[in-house]
Amino acid sequence: MSNIELNNPALRAARRVTALLALMLALLCPAMAAAEENPAQKEEESLDVKEIMFEHLLDGYGWEVPFSHSHRMPLPVIVRAEDHSWHCFSSAGLTAAVSDTVGGEMHSEIEPVVKTIERDGKTYRFLIAKVSTHKDKVVQIFPLSAADEKDLAAKLADVKKTGDVDSGAQVVDGYVYYDGAYYREYRPLDISITKNVAALFIAVLIVMLLVFGLVRYYKKNGMRAPRGGMGFFEMLVGFVYYDTIKASLGENTRKFAPYLLTVFFFILVMNLVGLIVIFPGGANLTGNIAVTLVLALCTFIITNVFGTKHYWKEIFWPDVPLFLKFPLPIMQVIEVFGIFTKPAALCVRLFANMMGGHMIVITLTLLIFIVGAFGAAVAGMTTVISVLFSVFMLLLDVLVSFIQAYVFTLLSSLFISMAQVHEEEHAEHKDKGDARLEKEDERKLADEKAHFAREAAQVDLK
């Protein structure tokens, strides 16, 4: 071996990596061979990764009990049936724990069951659909009539003609498959308190407790700065208000700060609560595009409802050469399109970042069970690596939770400020050197300094 190779740290690191990979392959190959020799055992231990992942990411009619896959905390189900009658019942009536022995071990799973309600001489049956176009939603089911059976047979024949046929029951529009038979289904109006809805209420309650707790502190202690967790919360309020909202909106800060501060802390709390594994966490709120869409829609409404005349003038008659806006309204189309792309960017950015973080953590955790069939050595090594990377990703998601809340608030304040431009501000370059305007600016600056000086004099720094 030459002296160059001995003194080159890159070559030494490469040799260590190669040796580590060779050791991993040596441990992995015998375990893979043993798994291939016993395909029945491999099939039993295989996991439906997609099903498990989406079960944790999507909404549900019950809240998972910590460290138990076969139990749910029931939530209220509120639906309107086909005859417009309203029904409210516990989600516990829609599922049941079914136990089975696999490989000599007892396993329990949640299976959907029919919830039957008798009222005014009528029978109502509700079910969480599995083989249906309304998968994982509550549907009302009816026995098939002669006309329904004929329609079902025709639709099944059409499905088979397409060639896209699974080995099990087929998904047929208007029908649900349950317990070996098809039923006619009706998707009721559903305003149930699902897991995501309950988590929204919890997030709102936490934000209210934080805000009113800070208000109560200042009412009791005056301008004395809080300490501990309340001090950190007060620091966040000051940072968002002065360095983000006020820097963007200027004199319009007081008008829009309540909404923007609420959005920041609401998103932050939802992000952080979603990272907690057990109740009251575990709900993937900001990874649900419906939630981020509503938040972006709020910014869209505030931006355009409170937009100034000059804002709308720049959209429908912008200051560009005439041939770009007449007779073909090229710029008008672009500006109107931009009105909708801004909230769309807010919605997708928050949704994609938070959903991606949750998916990475779940995938790293599932790796432990996926490679479990390869032997104890590989499973042990994978467990250590997966746990370390999962902890790292969770810590990174905590940082991302703050960043995404800040970015959403920052962009919202920028979009709102762009809609608050007045004609005199737009033509500011024409007023440069105007002694009257410069004197007015100096007066406003002096008033602000005097205001801050009065507040600082009341602060008790002890």
Side-chain angles (χ1 to χ4, degrees):
M1 186 180 296
S2 64
N3 292 331
I4 297 177
E5 292 178 343
L6 288 173
N7 297 326
N8 193 328
L11 290 175
R12 292 199 301 271
R15 283 197 295 271
R16 292 193 187 100
V17 172
T18 304
L20 180 60
L21 290 176
L23 178 60
M24 292 178 63
L25 287 174
L27 294 173
L28 183 62
C29 289
M32 293 179 63
E36 290 296 331
E37 292 174 359
N38 193 356
Q41 181 182 358
K42 182 178 179 180
E43 183 177 355
E44 286 181 359
E45 296 180 355
S46 62
L47 293 175
D48 190 346
V49 176
K50 180 181 177 181
E51 185 69 21
I52 295 175
M53 183 176 296
F54 282 100
E55 181 182 356
H56 287 81
L57 292 177
L58 300 181
D59 201 0
Y61 289 94
W63 210 309
E64 294 86 353
V65 174
F67 313 110
S68 175
H69 187 68
S70 59
H71 295 86
R72 298 287 188 275
M73 287 185 286
L75 295 171
V77 177
I78 308 170
V79 292
R80 190 181 71 171
E82 191 177 38
D83 61 358
H84 303 294
S85 61
W86 286 94
H87 302 269
C88 180
F89 52 90
S90 172
S91 62
L94 294 171
T95 57
V98 179
S99 299
D100 191 12
T101 303
V102 179
E105 297 182 359
M106 184 67 69
H107 294 270
S108 297
E109 293 184 357
I110 294 292
E111 295 290 341
V113 295
V114 177
K115 172 67 176 179
T116 303
I117 300 175
E118 300 286 345
R119 181 189 295 178
D120 300 329
K122 295 182 179 180
T123 301
Y124 301 89
R125 297 181 180 89
F126 298 97
L127 173 73
I128 296 180
K130 292 300 180 183
V131 184
S132 166
T133 53
H134 303 295
K135 181 176 171 59
D136 296 327
K137 301 297 182 182
V138 171
V139 297
Q140 185 180 3
I141 63 173
F142 306 88
L144 296 181
S145 63
D148 292 333
E149 290 179 353
K150 184 177 180 180
D151 180 60
L152 175 62
K155 289 184 176 180
L156 282 172
D158 291 339
V159 171
K160 292 179 181 179
K161 287 180 181 178
T162 62
D164 187 15
V165 179
D166 297 329
S167 58
Q170 306 303 313
V171 175
V172 181
D173 187 28
Y175 299 91
V176 59
Y177 183 84
Y178 171 72
D179 198 20
Y182 280 97
Y183 298 86
R184 182 175 68 86
E185 70 174 0
Y186 169 75
R187 177 76 170 100
L189 177 61
D190 191 349
I191 57 171
S192 303
I193 308 299
T194 61
K195 183 174 71 172
N196 281 351
V197 176
L200 278 172
F201 291 155
I202 293 173
V204 169
L205 180 61
I206 293 174
V207 173
M208 291 178 64
L209 289 175
L210 289 172
V211 172
F212 289 119
L214 185 62
V215 172
R216 185 167 56 251
Y217 175 87
Y218 276 114
K219 284 184 177 180
K220 182 179 179 181
N221 299 282
M223 295 301 294
R224 178 180 297 177
R227 299 290 188 268
M230 192 60 68
F232 178 73
F233 177 67
E234 192 267 347
M235 181 196 70
L236 284 179
V237 173
F239 168 71
V240 175
Y241 182 84
Y242 291 106
D243 295 345
T244 304
I245 302 174
K246 192 174 181 63
S248 302
L249 291 168
E251 62 182 13
N252 294 312
T253 300
R254 288 182 175 271
K255 185 176 181 181
F256 299 104
Y259 164 71
L260 293 170
L261 284 170
T262 302
V263 164
F264 174 81
F265 287 106
F266 187 47
I267 294 175
L268 178 60
V269 169
M270 286 193 295
N271 290 344
L272 295 178
V273 169
L275 297 178
I276 302 174
V277 178
I278 61 176
F279 182 85
N284 185 27
L285 288 176
T286 46
N288 186 327
I289 198 168
V291 175
T292 60
L293 178 61
V294 171
L295 293 173
L297 186 62
C298 292
T299 297
F300 170 79
I301 293 173
I302 291 176
T303 301
N304 293 283
V305 168
F306 294 98
T308 61
K309 293 180 180 180
H310 185 74
Y311 166 73
W312 289 107
K313 181 257 181 187
E314 284 296 311
I315 290 176
F316 294 108
W317 197 255
D319 292 334
V320 295
L322 185 62
F323 70 89
L324 291 176
K325 54 187 178 182
F326 182 82
L328 294 177
I330 299 175
M331 290 303 301
Q332 288 91 327
V333 172
I334 295 175
E335 293 291 343
V336 171
F337 184 71
I339 294 176
F340 298 98
T341 56
K342 292 172 184 176
L346 287 177
C347 170
V348 174
R349 177 184 285 105
L350 180 58
F351 160 73
N353 280 280
M354 299 314 300
M355 172 66 85
H358 283 271
M359 290 185 68
I360 291 174
V361 173
I362 294 174
T363 303
L364 290 171
T365 305
L366 289 176
L367 280 177
I368 301 172
F369 304 96
I370 294 173
V371 303
F374 293 157
V378 178
M381 185 183 304
T382 307
T383 300
V384 174
I385 296 174
S386 296
V387 169
L388 291 177
F389 273 99
S390 296
V391 171
F392 171 75
M393 285 304 304
L394 282 173
L395 294 176
L396 185 62
D397 279 343
V398 172
L399 177 62
V400 171
S401 297
F402 282 88
I403 293 175
Q404 290 304 315
Y406 174 75
V407 169
F408 191 99
T409 307
L410 175 62
L411 293 179
S412 296
S413 62
L414 288 176
F415 295 157
I416 294 173
S417 67
M418 291 168 62
Q420 298 299 307
V421 178
H422 296 279
E423 184 67 31
E424 59 271 15
E425 295 174 356
H426 185 69
E428 186 180 3
H429 62 280
K430 298 180 181 179
D431 300 329
K432 187 175 181 180
D434 192 316
R436 183 181 62 82
L437 292 177
E438 291 180 357
K439 187 176 181 180
E440 181 68 18
D441 292 338
E442 292 176 358
R443 185 188 64 79
K444 290 181 179 179
L445 183 60
D447 291 341
E448 288 184 0
K449 289 182 177 179
H451 173 70
F452 287 129
R454 287 194 299 269
E455 288 188 348
Q458 299 177 8
V459 177
D460 185 3
L461 299 179
K462 295 182 180 180

